[in-house]
Amino acid sequence: MPRHKLIASESDVSIEVDVGKDNEFSLYYVEVEENSQGGQEKQTTRDGKRRRERNGEVSRRRASEKRTTEVDTKRAEKKHEKRHKTARKEGEKHEKRQRRKNADEEEAEEESNKEKKNIKNERTKTLRRDDEKEKDVKKKRKKHVKNEEDNANSGKTKQKDCHDMPLKEKKKKRKKPETTSESESKSESDSAPESKDNQAVGVLGSLTPEELEKLKEAVDERKKLIATMRGKPWPMKKKLVVLRESQEFVEKYEGALGKGKGRKLYAYKVMIMKKWMKFQRDFENFKTACIPWEMKIKEIESHFGSSVASYFIFLRWMYGINMILFGLTFGLVMVPEALMGKPYGSIPRKTVPREEEASAMNFAILWDFGGYAKYSVLFYGYYNSQRAIGWLKFRLPLSYFLVGVGTVAYSYMVVIRTMARNANEEGGGDDTSFNFSWKTFTSWDYLIGNPETADNKFASITTSFKEAIVEEQESRKDDNIHLTRFLRVLANFLVLCCLAGSGYLIYFVVRRSQKFALLGLENYGWWERNEVNMVMSLLGMFCPMLFDVISTLENYHPRVALQWQLGRIFALFLGNLYTFIIALMDAIQLKRAEEEIVKKNMTIWQANLYNGTVPDNSTAPPITVHPADIPRGPCWETMVGQEFVRLIISDTMTTYITLLIGDFLRAVLVRFLNNCWCWDLEYGFPSYSEFDVSGNVLGLIFNQGMIWMGAFYAPCLPALNLLRLHVSMYLQCWAVMCCNVPQERVFKASGSNNFYMAMLLVILFLSTLPAIYTIVSIPPSFDCGPFSGKTRMFDVIQETLESDFPAWFGKMFSYASNPGLVLPFLLLLVLAIYYLQSTSKTYKRVNMELKKKLQTQNEENKKKNKLAALKAANELEQARKAGEQRSSSASDLGVNEESSSIDEAGHHRQAGQNGRFIHPSQSQHTQNSEPPVSSTHTTTRPPASRGHTSSGHLPGHPQQPQKNSHSNRR
Amino acid sequence: MVSPAIALAFLPLLLTMIIRYRYYFVLLYRAVLIRWVRDCLTGLSREERAFQYILTHATPGDAQSILDTFDHWCSKVEFISHIGPKKGKILDRLLQEHCPITVLELGTHCGYSTVRIARSLPIGARIYSVEMDERNAQVAEKIIRLAGFDEDMVELIVRPSDEVIPRLREDFGVERLDLVFMDHWKRCYLPDLQLLEGSGLLGEGSIILADNVIFPGAPNFLRHARRSGLYEVRVHRATLEYIRGIRDGMAELTFLGIK
């Protein structure tokens, strides 16, 4: 019995000490208690433990009884033993009670406790002493106890280990899951009485190789248990407890398993390994914690499903991109100009003009980005055209141009790269072929952690099943398609009407505002001045709602519906944006006309100035006009930048105000008015709002588009956008968690990410178009901005090439930009793209074919299996018939039975066969013990009795005939 | 002054509201406006008008015919908040499953649901129907008699429900209620449920069926039912009677017994 040996090992480590006084024993108890209470603090789980302990105790008692019967053969002693045990149990009970009490008491009272316990234990000991008189084995046991107690004083931990190990071992051998989950502290306290039971086998000595082997086995078993924990059909609580304990066990004994000298080293190595793994895990956790807003997004994901979370992930991604854009513009444009450029007030473009000086610091003006804000690094006009500034000889105009181009180029790169990566993930499966299987196995969103959302998801899955079934039926019937088509066409028509209406409204407003601008904005109120922005924001807010309502006509799947919705809002926003840009272009033309006039006037003004000062010409550098008084052009670039900044600001404000009013105020009203309202506000009419994924995503995308468009003329835009994104991240996270409810139809948004990206790409392209147009075709203003005095903005490159690079470089560049070289290069590029595209197409086709092949193979396999199963079933049927025949014949004819009994006598295996017929569970054992059963049949059984059913399978064992049939086939 | 363009920008919002909440507007029109106009024109109450219609159109003694006529009147002519045919089916199914002997109905109104319950009850069963309003009770009595149910089957109690429930045992000798059907004031659902709990008339397996728990809605009632742990709660989702687009539900509470 391995059990004995392990129990023996318990005493191995204990040191031989003389028999001491009895109360030392009780002292040990107290010590252990201190451990269990002070050290481990498992008070909360104490009750459960106690229960478990009781279980364990019972089983342990049973086992110990068994053991005593095995080891101690004396009958008479048994009674004593039992009595003694009950006494001990009583003592334990006392102790438990005591422990319960102790849980609250201070350690200062430990002394008194000890004494109390001494008294209690005294009782048990007197009983024990009676036993001792009869048996000297008992004495031995006592000695054991004392040894342990001594150990407890000297090397407590070590002893603890020794007690645990055998206990655990035993339990495992018994294969009782409850006992394995018994806690450490309890087993410690129990170990002392336990040892008394085991004293019969108590042998002293060091760890023998066999025991080591056992220990190793135990550790391995634990490890295996840890590895397979997941697959166990246990409740989570139990799993956790078992896992923790096994881990502790493994940790404790793994170190002891090394051989001889290397043991310590091994233990050390294991420890280091553990620490390293732990560190790695912690580091991973730390890395996750470092991802900004990760926890927030996960929480939202768990409440609202992945479609809402995808918006926040998108927002975070956008934030990252803007961070880089901001870094570029801030580091390479704004900071150099602010630090190294000419200071404020040195030249006209860096000074607030005289007529504006009075109101330049007003908040209203600053809020509108006029006054001092206009004449600062925030806008294009402030920058000087000086070729190199500061001691670094920083080429600011070049840097300005390259940053402008670089931000756009970087954005293109990032968007396209992300798109390509997402496209890889999609994998291009066809959704149509296994609709129901997909639904069954993949429709659950495992990221949901909120019961309410889970309910919604459950409901949506069931409804989607219903819908899918109905759809399937309808696709077979296919009669209602005309109505659906009609409705879809109608919906699109309505949406188009709506778009046209909103476009016309914006056009009208823009025209009106131009009229106002011509007449002078000062004569009009706030409403008129902000009309364009207001109308655009309002339309952008309300039209999507209308689209949403209209889209219920179409009866699409929510994912498809979301895409349609996105497309429509996209069209709306695009219309609005382009109307705005066209208006802006008109404004630019106006400004340029104004500039021409100013240019003419400038010469006159200069002439006047000189003429006026001609009389006192004698003083040499006379003309010191303050830069604020010098007339200047209107600087259309700054105007464009200002417009964009205003648009962004008003857009942001609208978003936040909508959030606060539409979501928060509504939620508050619904929540608190519900108690005194005549219908249920929460379920009924206003209800809480749902998070509008499509609208928010598009808002974000268009916002980004405006940044791309305007960043060239207002370098402050990325900074503003960064601020906005940062705030909206927190605000929207809060708003979502606080005032929104999960969508009624929660759906996965796995596919929509790329859709967002595609839209972002389109917007990027559409927003760079006007920017490029203005840069390329409109000459810069003559007296403001880094490119003043040049005919075109990109002349700065040529200038740099000529002056800063060696001559050969310029020559090479001119050769390279020669159309004779560029055209072939472009041609090559096109060819390469074409080639790559065609190869990817081929790959796709090959993939599809492979898929098809796999499918057909699967089907073939299925067919084969079906055939095999059929065959097996046939055989089974025949076997049953034969068995019935046989049994009937056996009961009828005694002769037959005799013959079979003879067979049994002749062959041992036959017994197994017959037994199998009688008792299936037995038969399995025999089968397991003797693998080549089927081969032996034919030899052992008289072939005449069975005939065709050579494989003697059973009614209860369908596997065997299959196996046989397989083997037959092969 | 707000410019017309800004005002026009609110048009989509208006349209959205109208389209999204069209059923509520329909309900408002049918349940409030038409009722008010007819009240002014005829001088009769809505329930009396319904009774007149039924008297002229339904077959006396035929419960199904009376119910059908009711449905027709409610969906085509005017609107009365009954349980309706669709939710009525759920009620019928419940009655068939459980075969209650003693039924308490809170809120008789015109007697539609009383007739509906009574026709599928086993012989010897009894309905106690509570109605607060005198005129409605008269109409209900007529309709119940018209459907052919006598006093042994249907006991109409014209008193507020919160007075009736504590006295059910003394005045009517009720020992146990097998089914309680609630369709009166939605605010009274919770107090009445608590009264029922206190009275000890509910036994294990007693069913409480509450109509209109989602629209107009009885959130406190539902919350109590879910949290108290005394009931097994099921909400049958359906739409509001006679109007398709408004979601509504019936709560089926199975009393688990006080432990």
Side-chain angles (χ1 to χ4, degrees):
Chain A
M1 289 291 287
R3 203 185 294 152
H4 299 308
K5 273 182 187 154
L6 280 159
I7 286 152
S9 72
E10 161 194 313
S11 55
D12 290 342
V13 198
S14 60
I15 306 151
E16 204 55 61
V17 175
D18 279 9
V19 183
K21 285 156 273 165
D22 273 348
N23 43 343
E24 272 186 52
F25 169 64
S26 64
L27 205 82
Y28 166 67
Y29 266 118
V30 174
E31 289 282 354
V32 166
E33 246 172 58
E34 271 176 339
N35 277 349
S36 66
Q37 285 170 6
Q40 299 207 331
E41 287 189 6
K42 286 179 179 173
Q43 291 177 5
T44 49
T45 56
R46 188 150 293 165
D47 279 39
K49 260 188 259 165
R50 216 169 279 139
R51 216 180 308 128
R52 260 178 269 133
E53 185 189 17
R54 223 163 288 143
N55 287 343
E57 208 178 284
V58 170
S59 52
R60 210 178 309 131
R61 191 146 37 104
R62 226 176 285 137
S64 59
E65 273 170 33
K66 229 188 275 167
R67 211 175 305 135
T68 46
T69 52
E70 282 163 26
V71 180
D72 283 45
T73 47
K74 279 159 198 167
R75 297 267 158 182
E77 204 191 301
K78 223 179 174 184
K79 276 176 208 163
H80 284 290
E81 189 85 1
K82 252 182 192 164
R83 205 201 312 153
H84 155 74
K85 236 168 262 157
T86 48
R88 182 168 51 79
K89 235 181 91 188
E90 203 174 283
E92 273 185 7
K93 247 185 239 164
H94 274 297
E95 193 190 286
K96 253 183 262 161
R97 221 173 294 146
Q98 192 65 36
R99 203 176 300 136
R100 229 169 286 159
K101 244 187 275 167
N102 273 9
D104 304 322
E105 282 169 12
E106 311 254 323
E107 275 186 84
E109 291 172 350
E110 207 69 63
E111 266 318 301
S112 61
N113 279 345
K114 267 179 210 169
E115 297 207 346
K116 264 189 231 161
K117 232 168 284 155
N118 286 355
I119 296 157
K120 269 164 210 153
N121 285 326
E122 210 71 356
R123 229 195 301 161
T124 63
K125 242 147 273 163
T126 47
L127 279 170
R128 223 172 283 143
R129 233 169 267 151
D130 296 340
D131 292 348
E132 275 170 45
K133 280 172 205 162
E134 294 173 19
K135 256 296 244 176
D136 45 342
V137 188
K138 293 265 136 86
K139 230 183 255 164
K140 245 193 222 165
R141 178 197 305 156
K142 221 175 174 193
K143 207 191 270 174
H144 257 291
V145 172
K146 242 124 268 167
N147 296 345
E148 280 151 20
E149 168 265 313
D150 215 22
N151 271 358
N153 292 339
S154 59
K156 217 180 284 168
T157 52
K158 204 174 178 187
Q159 189 208 23
K160 220 194 291 169
D161 295 357
C162 308
H163 281 304
D164 282 345
M165 189 254 313
L167 258 182
K168 290 254 163 89
E169 196 60 26
K170 236 189 303 161
K171 277 162 224 154
K172 212 186 309 137
K173 288 281 142 63
R174 246 178 267 148
K175 302 242 165 171
K176 272 213 158 187
E178 310 126 283
T179 50
T180 50
S181 63
E182 197 180 26
S183 74
E184 293 256 352
S185 60
K186 296 297 148 183
S187 59
E188 270 168 53
S189 54
D190 290 339
S191 55
E194 186 72 27
S195 67
K196 268 173 266 150
D197 293 338
N198 307 336
Q199 48 76 38
V201 272
V203 188
L204 302 175
S206 65
L207 272 167
T208 60
E210 293 135 59
E211 281 154 12
L212 259 178
E213 201 60 33
K214 286 278 172 315
L215 195 59
K216 208 169 186 177
E217 229 170 67
V219 168
D220 281 349
E221 208 166 312
R222 290 282 170 151
K223 275 184 179 170
K224 212 191 279 171
L225 186 68
I226 288 169
T228 59
M229 183 71 72
R230 238 172 236 188
K232 289 262 159 56
W234 296 344
M236 201 63 209
K237 226 178 194 173
K238 189 175 153 193
K239 271 189 192 176
L240 277 177
V241 171
V242 173
L243 179 72
R244 210 169 301 135
E245 263 156 33
S246 331
Q247 276 173 344
E248 263 168 35
F249 181 85
V250 169
E251 213 157 296
K252 241 172 226 165
Y253 296 111
E254 220 175 22
L257 281 179
K259 276 167 213 153
K261 270 184 263 165
R263 187 192 291 179
K264 227 173 200 174
L265 188 72
Y266 178 77
Y268 193 68
K269 240 160 78 183
V270 166
M271 205 181 70
I272 291 286
M273 200 66 176
K274 285 262 157 65
K275 286 261 148 48
W276 172 240
M277 297 243 288
K278 193 167 178 337
F279 170 75
Q280 270 183 329
R281 212 169 45 229
D282 285 347
F283 189 68
E284 284 295 321
N285 285 347
F286 175 72
K287 270 204 298 199
T288 321
C290 276
I291 300 171
W293 304 302
E294 181 74 3
M295 289 318 292
K296 266 185 181 190
I297 291 172
K298 284 275 172 262
E299 203 184 334
I300 286 168
E301 195 161 35
S302 78
H303 278 79
F304 292 88
S306 52
S307 66
V308 175
S310 75
Y311 164 73
F312 283 97
I313 289 166
F314 188 63
L315 181 61
R316 186 174 64 186
W317 184 81
M318 213 63 130
Y319 186 82
I321 285 183
N322 275 287
M323 198 82 141
I324 287 167
L325 297 192
F326 168 72
L328 281 176
T329 47
F330 190 74
L332 291 178
V333 174
M334 286 164 85
V335 167
E337 176 68 21
L339 289 182
M340 299 186 287
K342 283 184 181 164
Y344 174 82
S346 53
I347 46 173
R349 68 183 71 173
K350 296 195 176 194
T351 324
V352 178
R354 189 66 74 192
E355 61 265 28
E356 288 177 25
E357 242 172 22
S359 61
M361 212 40 205
N362 288 359
F363 178 73
I365 301 284
L366 284 181
W367 183 250
D368 237 12
F369 285 89
Y372 283 108
K374 188 179 170 187
Y375 298 97
S376 68
V377 278
L378 301 183
F379 289 105
Y380 172 93
Y382 181 81
Y383 293 83
N384 197 2
S385 59
Q386 200 178 353
R387 225 173 67 76
I389 54 171
W391 53 272
L392 273 178
K393 299 261 173 267
F394 188 76
R395 267 99 176 135
L396 190 80
L398 180 72
S399 159
Y400 197 101
F401 188 80
L402 287 184
V403 163
V405 173
T407 48
V408 171
Y410 171 75
S411 309
Y412 268 111
M413 219 175 65
V414 168
V415 171
I416 286 173
R417 202 181 57 196
T418 317
M419 270 186 84
R421 206 189 295 140
N422 284 354
N424 279 348
E425 279 168 15
E426 268 172 22
D430 43 347
D431 292 350
T432 49
S433 48
F434 303 106
N435 201 359
F436 286 96
S437 321
W438 283 123
K439 275 210 166 63
T440 313
F441 295 112
T442 64
S443 51
W444 189 251
D445 190 344
Y446 283 94
L447 298 165
I448 290 172
N450 184 30
E452 201 180 326
T453 318
D455 278 355
N456 279 0
K457 183 69 193 168
F458 177 77
S460 85
I461 290 172
T462 42
T463 45
S464 82
F465 260 108
K466 281 179 203 163
E467 279 166 11
I469 291 167
V470 170
E471 228 168 73
E472 195 74 16
Q473 283 169 348
E474 256 169 26
S475 72
R476 270 168 206 165
K477 260 192 281 171
D478 152 299
D479 56 352
N480 218 8
I481 195 82
H482 294 299
L483 180 66
T484 323
R485 261 184 207 153
F486 169 72
L487 282 177
R488 283 176 186 176
V489 169
L490 182 72
N492 280 316
F493 175 72
L494 288 177
V495 167
L496 272 182
C497 285
C498 185
L499 283 178
S502 78
Y504 180 73
L505 193 64
I506 288 176
Y507 176 72
F508 173 76
V509 171
V510 166
R511 285 283 298 278
R512 232 163 82 102
S513 79
Q514 279 171 1
K515 201 178 72 192
F516 292 151
L518 278 178
L519 294 173
L521 270 178
E522 299 78 40
N523 311 327
Y524 294 93
W526 188 85
W527 286 108
E528 275 82 8
R529 262 186 287 146
N530 290 290
E531 207 179 45
V532 180
N533 288 345
M534 283 281 292
V535 167
M536 271 175 70
S537 304
L538 286 177
L539 282 179
M541 207 158 62
F542 297 143
C543 280
M545 288 159 89
L546 190 59
F547 294 162
D548 197 25
V549 165
I550 289 172
S551 71
T552 51
L553 273 182
E554 296 172 312
N555 206 9
Y556 279 124
H557 181 273
R559 206 176 302 136
V560 184
L562 177 72
Q563 292 189 354
W564 272 96
Q565 174 79 351
L566 280 172
R568 280 164 193 168
I569 303 174
F570 187 82
L572 174 80
F573 282 12
L574 202 68
N576 292 1
L577 196 69
Y578 263 72
T579 320
F580 174 76
I581 286 166
I582 288 166
L584 215 59
M585 288 289 177
D586 284 352
I588 289 173
Q589 295 308 325
L590 282 177
K591 291 270 175 188
R592 287 197 55 222
E594 202 182 320
E595 194 183 301
E596 288 300 314
I597 298 165
V598 169
K599 254 188 196 168
K600 268 179 205 159
N601 287 350
M602 192 78 160
T603 48
I604 297 167
W605 180 81
Q606 265 172 344
N608 281 344
L609 198 66
Y610 284 113
N611 288 344
T613 51
V614 162
D616 28 51
N617 198 3
S618 52
T619 48
I623 321 147
T624 48
V625 184
H626 192 271
D629 296 326
I630 298 172
R632 61 190 78 178
C635 195
W636 61 267
E637 291 97 335
T638 303
M639 189 268 296
V640 170
Q642 254 180 323
E643 283 299 320
F644 274 109
V645 170
R646 275 183 209 146
L647 200 64
I648 293 281
I649 295 281
S650 82
D651 193 43
T652 313
M653 286 296 128
T654 328
T655 314
Y656 292 166
I657 288 168
T658 323
L659 203 74
L660 285 181
I661 291 177
D663 285 2
F664 183 63
L665 214 65
R666 180 172 162 186
V668 167
L669 284 182
V670 164
R671 180 79 187 77
F672 291 106
L673 276 185
N674 201 26
N675 295 323
C676 49
W677 203 260
C678 51
W679 69 75
D680 192 354
L681 291 171
E682 286 182 355
Y683 274 101
F685 164 43
S687 168
Y688 296 108
S689 50
E690 285 175 3
F691 188 78
D692 175 20
V693 179
S694 52
N696 276 304
V697 164
L698 276 174
L700 205 61
I701 287 174
F702 272 84
N703 183 53
Q704 194 59 39
M706 284 191 265
I707 301 298
W708 279 322
M709 241 189 274
F712 192 73
Y713 299 117
C716 64
L717 266 182
L720 275 179
N721 196 32
L722 203 67
L723 204 69
R724 174 210 158 112
L725 291 180
H726 200 95
V727 172
S728 68
M729 189 82 194
Y730 282 103
L731 200 68
Q732 282 189 316
C733 275
W734 164 79
V736 158
M737 292 304 282
C738 150
C739 17
N740 285 2
V741 285
Q743 277 154 328
E744 230 172 287
R745 300 181 72 179
V746 182
F747 56 93
K748 280 197 283 185
S750 55
S752 50
N753 275 334
N754 230 12
F755 195 67
Y756 298 160
M757 284 295 153
M759 275 196 302
L760 195 65
L761 188 69
V762 171
I763 274 297
L764 181 56
F765 178 71
L766 290 178
S767 61
T768 44
L769 267 188
I772 287 175
Y773 173 75
T774 49
I775 288 171
V776 169
S777 68
I778 303 179
S781 304
F782 74 98
D783 65 342
C784 68
F787 313 115
S788 54
K790 297 189 177 63
T791 49
R792 290 282 183 264
M793 287 179 192
F794 53 82
D795 282 347
V796 75
I797 302 234
Q798 226 158 6
E799 189 193 78
T800 311
L801 279 179
E802 278 163 12
S803 52
D804 288 345
F805 284 93
W808 60 267
F809 195 85
K811 216 178 242 173
M812 238 178 64
F813 192 79
S814 67
Y815 284 141
S817 59
N818 181 17
L821 261 175
V822 169
L823 277 181
F825 182 71
L826 278 181
L827 213 66
L828 204 71
L829 219 62
V830 168
L831 282 177
I833 288 170
Y834 181 73
Y835 170 73
L836 286 178
Q837 208 218 350
S838 55
T839 45
S840 81
K841 235 181 216 167
T842 322
Y843 285 144
K844 208 178 248 175
R845 213 180 49 230
V846 170
N847 255 352
M848 287 305 291
E849 262 165 28
L850 260 178
K851 217 179 254 175
K852 247 181 224 165
K853 234 180 230 172
L854 273 176
Q855 253 178 39
T856 48
Q857 208 166 4
N858 265 348
E859 268 161 28
E860 219 162 278
N861 276 351
K862 235 186 247 168
K863 249 181 228 163
K864 262 183 202 168
N865 285 346
K866 217 179 251 174
L867 268 177
L870 247 159
K871 207 171 173 186
N874 275 339
E875 279 176 10
L876 187 78
E877 198 60 33
Q878 285 167 354
R880 196 177 286 152
K881 270 180 202 160
E884 274 165 15
Q885 267 180 10
R886 206 180 80 102
S887 64
S888 61
S889 62
S891 60
D892 288 349
L893 305 167
V895 188
N896 218 337
E897 206 174 318
E898 262 180 42
S899 69
S900 68
S901 67
I902 289 160
D903 273 38
E904 262 177 50
H907 306 280
H908 277 286
R909 292 231 169 95
Q910 187 68 26
Q913 292 297 339
N914 275 354
R916 202 195 270 171
F917 261 92
I918 297 153
H919 205 310
S921 65
Q922 258 185 0
S923 71
Q924 201 148 30
H925 290 295
T926 54
Q927 193 188 328
N928 287 344
S929 56
E930 305 156 359
V933 175
S934 52
S935 62
T936 51
H937 280 306
T938 43
T939 54
T940 51
R941 226 161 259 283
S945 68
R946 285 257 163 145
H948 47 277
T949 55
S950 60
S951 54
H953 43 253
L954 300 158
H957 289 260
Q959 304 104 310
Q960 210 188 338
Q962 262 187 355
K963 214 189 284 169
N964 284 343
S965 64
H966 273 287
S967 59
N968 286 346
R969 251 194 302 120
R970 272 160 203 170
Chain B
M1 196 216 114
V2 178
S3 75
I6 294 178
L8 266 178
F10 279 94
L11 190 67
L13 180 71
L14 195 71
L15 280 175
T16 311
M17 289 294 160
I18 288 172
I19 295 174
R20 186 172 287 170
Y21 300 116
R22 57 190 183 281
Y23 294 114
Y24 295 91
F25 290 112
V26 169
L27 179 67
L28 184 80
Y29 170 71
R30 290 189 54 198
V32 179
L33 289 181
I34 288 193
R35 180 187 180 182
W36 181 70
V37 168
R38 291 275 177 99
D39 278 358
C40 286
L41 286 179
T42 59
L44 291 171
S45 76
R46 188 172 51 158
E47 289 76 19
E48 283 161 352
R49 287 199 299 276
F51 175 64
Q52 279 185 350
Y53 184 84
I54 284 158
L55 210 56
T56 49
H57 288 80
T59 320
D62 184 359
Q64 185 60 46
S65 152
I66 287 178
L67 293 182
D68 287 344
T69 320
F70 248 126
D71 289 337
H72 186 259
W73 189 79
C74 289
S75 52
K76 293 279 149 40
V77 187
E78 273 188 68
F79 180 83
I80 286 188
S81 161
H82 287 138
I83 187 170
K86 283 199 181 138
K87 284 192 281 185
K89 286 226 173 71
I90 300 173
L91 179 64
D92 289 348
R93 206 187 64 214
L94 264 178
L95 287 166
Q96 273 166 16
E97 277 171 12
H98 295 279
C99 283
I101 301 299
T102 321
V103 180
L104 174 68
E105 189 195 6
L106 302 175
T108 315
H109 205 187
C110 298
Y112 177 90
S113 44
T114 319
V115 170
R116 186 134 211 157
I117 295 170
R119 68 169 186 163
S120 44
L121 278 185
I123 295 164
R126 204 168 156 76
I127 308 177
Y128 298 92
S129 192
V130 180
E131 173 60 44
M132 198 174 76
D133 190 88
E134 191 76 34
R135 290 175 78 184
N136 285 355
Q138 282 172 4
V139 172
E141 175 133 34
K142 284 182 212 157
I143 284 174
I144 292 163
R145 300 291 169 260
L146 194 68
F149 300 111
D150 54 0
E151 286 93 351
D152 294 338
M153 188 98 180
V154 181
E155 171 95 47
L156 195 65
I157 306 166
V158 190
R159 259 195 297 176
S161 59
D162 52 339
E163 286 176 20
V164 173
I165 292 168
R167 306 194 54 80
L168 267 179
R169 200 185 287 268
E170 293 105 76
D171 292 2
F172 302 98
V174 179
E175 284 305 315
R176 183 197 139 106
L177 293 170
D178 298 313
L179 180 88
V180 179
F181 179 68
M182 291 183 168
D183 196 10
H184 54 314
W185 279 107
K186 313 307 160 204
R187 316 196 124 255
C188 298
Y189 278 15
L190 181 59
D192 285 351
L193 183 70
Q194 282 162 342
L195 276 178
L196 281 170
E197 283 167 15
S199 68
L201 288 169
L202 297 176
E204 197 182 329
S206 290
I207 289 169
I208 296 156
L209 192 68
D211 192 18
N212 295 356
V213 289
I214 290 177
F215 183 87
N220 294 327
F221 170 79
L222 278 183
R223 206 172 299 140
H224 172 78
R226 288 212 173 98
R227 295 212 179 135
S228 65
L230 295 170
Y231 309 98
E232 193 192 312
V233 182
R234 270 181 75 193
V235 175
H236 300 277
R237 289 182 184 275
T239 56
L240 193 70
E241 50 274 1
Y242 312 123
I243 287 185
R244 208 158 30 83
I246 300 176
R247 282 179 306 143
D248 190 17
M250 290 212 298
E252 178 194 339
L253 277 59
T254 312
F255 194 71
L256 297 173
I258 299 163
K259 278 142 204 164

